[in-house]
Amino acid sequence: MERGALTMAIIHIDDREFTANPKDNLLQACLSNGFDLPYFCWHPALGSVGACRQCAVRQFANPEDTTGRIVMACMTPATDGTRISIADPEAVSFRASVIEWLMTNHPHDCPVCEEGGECHLQDMTVMTGHAYRRYRFSKRTHRNQYLGPFVKHEMNRCIACYRCVRFYRDYAGGADLDVYAARNNVYFGRAEDGVLENEFSGNLVEVCPTGVFTDKTLSAAYNRKWDMRSAPSVCVHCGVGCNTSVNERGGQVRRILNRYNGAVNGYFLCDRGRFGYGFANRPDRVRTPVLRDPGGSMRTATRTEALDALTKTLGTGGKIIGIGSPRASLEANFALRRLVGADGFHAGVSAREARCLATAIEILQAGAVPTPTLREMEAADVVLVLGEDVADTAPRVALALRQAARGRSMEIADRLKIAHWQDAAVRDAAQGARSPLFVASVAATRLDDIAARTCRAAPCDIARLGFAIRHRIDANAPSVEDLPEAMQALAGEIADALLAAKRPLIVSGCGLGDEAVLRAAAGIAQALNGADRLPGIVLAVPECNSMGLALMQGGSVEDAIDTVTEGATVIVLENDLYRRAERKRVDALFDAAANVIVLDHVSTATVARADIVLPSANFAECDGTLVSGEGRAQRSFQAVFPKDDVQASWMWLRDIAGTSEWHRLDDVVRSLASAMTQFVAIGEATPPGDFRIAGSRIRSEPHRYSGRTAVDADRTVHEPRASVPEESPFSSTMEGYYGQMPASLIPFFWAPAWNSIQSLNKFQDEVGGALRGGDPGVRLFEPNGAAAPRPDATAPGQFVRGPGQWFVVPRRPIFGGEELSALAPAVAERIAAPSLALNPADARSLDVENGGMIDIDFKSGSYRLAVTVAPELPSGVAMLSVGLPGMDWCALPGWGTPRRAEPAP
């Protein structure tokens, strides 16, 4: 039997015939065909090592064989003609004995364990029928470790499945978690207490099948797993567009889980996306309208008072300017654009960022090279990262590139006829062999450990390297003059590797704020495009809706400031302007404007300067559409139902404009698709709000939801029902449909006998593949097949240091560099103090050591910063951590003048 180009194997399970992918093992084949077969150590993304012996089945040689032998399904290929029995009595007894010996040291603490009710070990114990403990001796005990603000450690629950170290070390590249053992005393942890350093450490919570690693942020306000309402959502902390599930209880976001999307994030999230939700629960967030009295003081107001004040303000007939936001939904930005008009709408980003985003859209739309999905990135055989530190700006992309680097290992395995799922065998055979990955960056990155070659240079020299690579690939492209010999040799090495590849991948982005770097990356990708190669290009964008906002077009923040005149009214949508432009220029805007209206959910410096503040809903409190850097439009849905005046920004703007035809989000989506052809497909991202299955909404609470809270038990034992809008496809309770549903509407993963996240296998076409019905999201644009980049896309001049100056480039750290996650208490613990990284020679020239203080002057102001000595930085180039709390905006990249810090008076 064939599925596409793949010939499927015919296997027999308990005398019934099924099809299976011959590249899979029997465990994966059984799960894909709907069977319940217990397992622990195996994971679809990690492969098999046969450590737990839990997936035992009986295999028969042929139809006449009645004896067979016990084999581990995860270590046996699903070859054509395979015959097995899951129900064989000896196999059933074997699996029960395995779970019993695994449980000998496991504490009987399910009633108090945070994993209880969502525990894979519980599921597998019930599945094997092990219900009685015969072990009556002392259990071994371990001391737990402090692992940082994200992950809680309870080592006594470990069953030694090895998933944690296999994910953390082998898959995510972490080095500070390991396994330590002496006889049956096996310990998974760090050599000593300390914060887990890898930015994907939170995945241990979902990877671990027991309660060894749990979510510490959930522990801070713990409730049972089955007592949370869920809704499908999209991560708001970078431009990758990872899918998440938001869990709510008591009007607060309690945790974020990975929501599987086979084309995007797959099984894993970065720690910023998983733990950055704390901003939504801050006590100082905006919850009620606020008005400024004539005397200048601020007071809370009712909704009616706020709307009356808005009517009076906008009724004066003065000029109205709208400033949008890359962290607000498409619908909210469009509502603002419609209110103020296309000429009055501004995108809410700096001029430099706006130019970079426009360049990125031009490259992705007008070129002939597509942007691959994250799953497709993992199949790249040669990767060039040009000028972007994706480990900080697009962490999930960096994780995909780590898997791409294993391509050479898979080639070796193919030659030796080792199945890819044979993880230990593949690693032993490969001996660390990797596919070429080249990193050209200003400073060290967290991908350097797997890079074949690295290059450290100023942004313009990185662009020059890119143009030199393009010239080596396409001799008709302009050459690069005066390129140093070492750089020429590196360009040749990279070009040769890319030319030899079948699926080369070029990765760049807006992180350095340099259009020439983007043009260079596009030039390489275009030059590689040919019949025998399938190149891809990935361009990282800064925020969750940067791409959607750029597609909507509009002037920059600086343009908005320049257009503000006396008597004008400025409406700011979910944006802190002090993070976008110089403080003195933003102050000038507020001084010149007659009225400033701000819609936001976080208390910012911009909110403090407003005349009218309207409490907008955050990502968990409303529905909305975001567009990722890939151009994928995806819908997030409401999980939290505020009891105050909070509502979606587009609703406030509708009420301000008096728009009568917008009753629900779908109305806004239709208006947007009609008004702007680039968004015509967004309605396909998810079914409409009136979507029902058999006349029922999809339930948002699990069937075990208790509906009681001890906190309110003196008043009522009933939990008030949330008020769900009529247009929502979800109920607010456990009542409703839960079964086969569109992938974009799956609120949580659960199946009979599968209470843990491992229930995901019941929702996939085949385990590890796409969700049934297709993965969520719709691409808004594809390459149109145009030829090479613009003729003027030529190499810039080489870097020349200014006298007494440094060229300062921005670094956007994963923790603290993004506005919303920086407000989460757990993430705040991981934020480093602002610092300026310098080449050792530059530090010596100022007689300053690592940790010392210097002053640096820019056109926009001065900073006093601690110095971090970075040997890899080019001389004359410095790197400043930007976006951190308390830091003023600075126009970077740009020139700065250093001087020794004067002691405080």
Side-chain angles (χ1 to χ4, degrees):
M1 180 178 177
E2 293 191 0
R3 181 187 294 174
L6 179 68
T7 300
M8 301 297 287
I10 302 297
I11 64 174
H12 297 81
I13 304 174
D14 288 318
D15 297 324
R16 295 166 58 196
E17 184 177 292
F18 297 92
T19 60
N21 187 334
K23 295 182 178 180
D24 292 344
N25 57 48
L26 282 177
L27 173 58
Q28 193 164 351
C30 290
L31 295 174
S32 295
N33 280 291
F35 286 90
D36 292 339
L37 183 59
Y39 63 91
F40 287 115
C41 65
W42 176 81
H43 187 282
L46 305 179
S48 303
V49 291
C52 71
R53 323 306 289 170
Q54 184 60 73
C55 59
V57 296
R58 183 173 290 279
Q59 183 178 19
F60 302 95
N62 52 54
E64 290 74 34
D65 181 9
T66 58
T67 303
R69 63 192 180 102
I70 297 294
V71 299
M72 300 305 120
C74 76
M75 300 298 289
T76 308
T79 54
D80 192 52
T82 298
R83 308 183 76 88
I84 62 170
S85 173
I86 297 175
D88 174 77
E90 188 178 357
V92 171
S93 176
F94 187 99
R95 294 195 296 268
S97 68
V98 169
I99 201 79
E100 185 172 19
W101 83 55
L102 289 176
M103 294 289 282
T104 55
N105 282 312
H106 189 84
H108 199 184
D109 64 345
C110 296
V112 297
C113 177
E114 294 183 23
E115 195 73 2
E118 201 178 69
C119 176
H120 185 60
L121 176 60
Q122 284 180 328
D123 290 346
M124 300 300 97
T125 303
V126 173
M127 193 177 292
T128 59
H130 175 60
Y132 182 77
R133 292 186 178 228
R134 294 182 294 173
Y135 184 77
R136 292 292 180 268
F137 306 98
S138 297
K139 295 177 181 286
R140 58 102 176 96
T141 57
H142 294 294
R143 183 184 66 83
N144 303 321
Q145 288 185 316
Y146 169 76
L147 299 178
F150 299 151
V151 178
K152 194 174 177 182
H153 192 225
E154 177 52 79
M155 185 55 210
N156 291 321
R157 297 172 182 150
C158 181
I159 59 170
C161 72
Y162 287 83
R163 271 195 190 183
C164 56
V165 292
R166 292 180 59 219
F167 166 77
Y168 194 88
R169 297 183 67 88
D170 298 341
Y171 195 93
D176 59 317
L177 182 79
D178 213 331
V179 55
Y180 308 90
R183 299 190 304 277
N184 71 329
N185 284 304
V186 183
Y187 192 90
F188 295 86
R190 289 171 50 91
E192 58 184 7
D193 286 24
V195 177
L196 289 172
E197 297 170 2
N198 190 275
E199 62 272 24
F200 293 94
S201 65
N203 292 288
L204 295 173
V205 175
E206 292 188 38
V207 166
C208 178
T210 73
V212 176
F213 300 100
T214 53
D215 185 338
K216 186 176 282 190
T217 64
L218 175 64
S219 301
Y222 180 69
N223 49 260
R224 281 300 190 184
K225 305 292 178 68
W226 57 80
D227 278 340
M228 291 189 284
R229 180 183 294 114
S230 297
S233 189
V234 179
C235 182
V236 295
H237 301 301
C238 81
V240 175
C242 294
N243 287 199
T244 61
S245 288
V246 179
N247 285 179
E248 177 270 354
R249 177 71 173 178
Q252 289 191 326
V253 179
R254 292 298 174 90
R255 69 171 176 178
I256 295 292
L257 287 176
N258 183 71
R259 178 167 64 100
Y260 183 87
N261 184 320
V264 187
N265 48 294
Y267 292 92
F268 305 120
L269 283 180
C270 78
D271 286 352
R272 182 168 68 188
R274 186 180 295 275
F275 301 112
Y277 66 86
F279 73 91
N281 302 327
R282 287 180 66 95
D284 61 349
R285 64 156 296 179
V286 181
R287 289 196 175 276
T288 59
V290 178
L291 303 179
R292 188 179 297 278
D293 288 333
S297 60
M298 303 293 286
R299 66 175 180 87
T300 59
T302 64
R303 174 186 172 86
T304 301
E305 288 177 316
L307 291 176
D308 288 345
L310 287 164
T311 300
K312 186 181 300 183
T313 297
L314 300 178
T316 59
K319 186 176 183 179
I320 304 177
I321 295 169
I323 301 177
S325 171
R327 62 173 167 89
S329 68
L330 276 181
E331 293 83 1
N333 278 293
F334 175 68
L336 177 62
R337 189 178 189 272
R338 178 160 163 166
L339 174 65
V340 302
D343 293 339
F345 178 75
H346 296 79
V349 297
S350 69
R352 187 187 294 271
E353 185 175 320
R355 290 194 298 270
C356 285
L357 288 169
T359 301
I361 288 177
E362 176 193 337
I363 291 168
L364 298 181
Q365 281 186 311
V369 179
T371 294
T373 65
L374 281 171
R375 170 66 68 87
E376 292 166 342
M377 291 181 209
E378 294 178 357
D381 48 1
V382 177
V383 178
L384 169 62
V385 182
L386 195 71
E388 188 76 8
D389 188 351
V390 288
D392 276 339
T393 61
R396 191 57 185 80
V397 170
L399 189 63
L401 298 186
R402 284 195 173 275
Q403 312 324 308
R406 290 200 66 206
R408 183 65 55 82
S409 298
M410 299 308 177
E411 292 174 7
I412 294 172
D414 288 339
R415 289 200 300 270
L416 298 175
K417 301 188 183 306
I418 301 173
H420 290 187
W421 48 263
Q422 285 271 23
D423 188 63
V426 171
R427 293 182 187 277
D428 286 345
Q431 292 294 299
R434 298 189 183 97
S435 296
L437 185 146
F438 302 95
V439 178
S441 60
V442 175
T445 77
R446 292 191 297 281
L447 285 178
D448 291 352
D449 62 309
I450 59 169
R453 291 287 302 275
T454 60
C455 172
R456 306 286 180 249
C460 60
D461 287 339
I462 291 174
R464 287 166 60 80
L465 172 65
F467 281 106
I469 296 169
R470 174 191 173 191
H471 175 70
R472 293 293 293 265
I473 295 170
D474 178 8
N476 294 321
S479 61
V480 180
E481 302 299 328
D482 302 322
L483 196 67
E485 186 176 337
M487 196 80 84
Q488 284 281 15
L490 179 60
E493 180 182 345
I494 297 173
D496 291 343
L498 291 170
L499 285 169
K502 295 180 179 178
R503 295 176 301 278
L505 177 64
I506 312 301
V507 180
S508 190
C510 303
L512 288 179
D514 194 307
E515 293 173 72
V517 172
L518 292 169
R519 296 280 179 202
I524 298 169
Q526 294 282 8
L528 287 169
N529 202 26
D532 57 340
R533 278 186 299 273
L534 297 173
I537 184 168
V538 175
L539 301 179
V541 297
E543 298 182 58
C544 62
N545 205 22
S546 291
M547 187 63 75
L549 186 63
L551 285 169
M552 197 168 287
Q553 302 170 353
S556 65
V557 168
E558 291 91 335
D559 293 335
I561 293 172
D562 291 340
T563 58
V564 173
T565 56
E566 294 291 336
T569 294
V570 178
I571 303 176
V572 182
L573 170 66
E574 300 182 36
N575 205 335
D576 184 4
L577 302 187
Y578 287 100
R579 294 178 60 90
R580 312 288 181 180
E582 296 176 32
R583 175 168 291 274
K584 62 183 180 182
R585 297 205 66 194
V586 178
D587 285 340
L589 177 147
F590 289 129
D591 293 340
N595 295 283
V596 177
I597 302 166
V598 176
L599 297 86
D600 215 333
H601 48 83
V602 292
S603 298
T604 67
T606 297
V607 166
R609 291 295 306 267
D611 299 300
I612 301 175
V613 180
L614 301 177
S616 68
N618 60 45
F619 77 104
E621 296 169 339
C622 66
D623 298 355
T625 305
L626 302 174
V627 182
S628 70
E630 179 195 345
R632 183 183 295 264
Q634 301 180 103
R635 180 76 61 84
S636 62
F637 291 90
Q638 184 174 11
V640 179
F641 299 87
K643 299 176 182 178
D644 36 39
D645 292 319
V646 173
Q647 67 177 7
S649 292
W650 72 263
M651 293 181 177
W652 281 114
L653 293 164
R654 171 200 63 189
D655 296 342
I656 294 171
T659 305
S660 60
E661 72 269 26
W662 288 357
H663 301 289
R664 57 184 189 174
L665 190 73
D666 289 339
D667 298 331
V668 189
V669 168
R670 280 191 290 270
S671 295
L672 173 57
S674 176
M676 307 183 79
T677 57
Q678 59 268 45
F679 296 109
V680 70
I682 63 170
E684 302 171 18
T686 189
D690 57 4
F691 177 81
R692 303 290 184 270
I693 299 177
S696 297
R697 299 175 188 247
I698 297 169
R699 73 175 188 231
S700 60
E701 296 173 348
H703 67 282
R704 295 175 298 164
Y705 195 94
S706 69
R708 301 183 179 193
T709 62
V711 174
D712 299 325
D714 59 325
R715 287 163 287 166
T716 177
V717 295
H718 301 285
E719 179 148 326
R721 176 174 294 189
S723 177
V724 179
E726 271 301 314
E727 66 273 14
S728 175
F730 299 100
S731 74
S732 64
T733 66
M734 68 180 79
E735 287 77 38
Y737 176 86
Y738 190 85
Q740 186 63 40
M741 66 195 90
S744 60
L745 297 182
I746 299 174
F748 54 87
F749 294 108
W750 176 88
W754 298 83
N755 297 290
S756 76
I757 194 64
Q758 313 297 327
S759 59
L760 171 61
N761 70 75
K762 301 295 185 181
F763 294 82
Q764 296 167 310
D765 282 333
E766 60 177 335
V767 175
L771 291 169
R772 289 176 185 160
D775 292 312
V778 58
R779 291 277 283 261
L780 295 186
F781 56 78
E782 297 289 351
N784 63 19
R790 296 186 325 203
D792 61 344
T794 55
Q798 62 183 342
F799 175 69
V800 178
R801 183 176 186 174
Q805 291 186 312
W806 292 326
F807 190 71
V808 184
V809 298
R811 175 180 176 249
R812 295 171 171 81
I814 183 173
F815 300 123
E818 189 272 331
E819 179 182 9
L820 297 180
S821 62
L823 299 173
V827 172
E829 292 188 40
R830 296 292 306 275
I831 298 176
S835 64
L836 188 74
L838 296 178
N839 175 281
D842 292 335
R844 285 193 298 270
S845 70
L846 290 174
D847 194 22
V848 63
E849 297 179 348
N850 196 55
M853 304 298 292
I854 66 164
D855 293 329
I856 184 166
D857 300 324
F858 299 99
K859 288 183 179 180
S860 56
S862 299
Y863 287 94
R864 174 162 292 186
L865 296 161
V867 168
T868 300
V869 176
E872 75 280 0
L873 271 177
S875 180
V877 177
M879 177 169 276
L880 174 63
S881 301
V882 298
L884 299 181
M887 287 189 65
D888 280 349
W889 181 87
C890 183
L892 296 179
W895 292 98
T897 303
R899 51 191 170 85
R900 290 192 60 181
E902 299 296 332

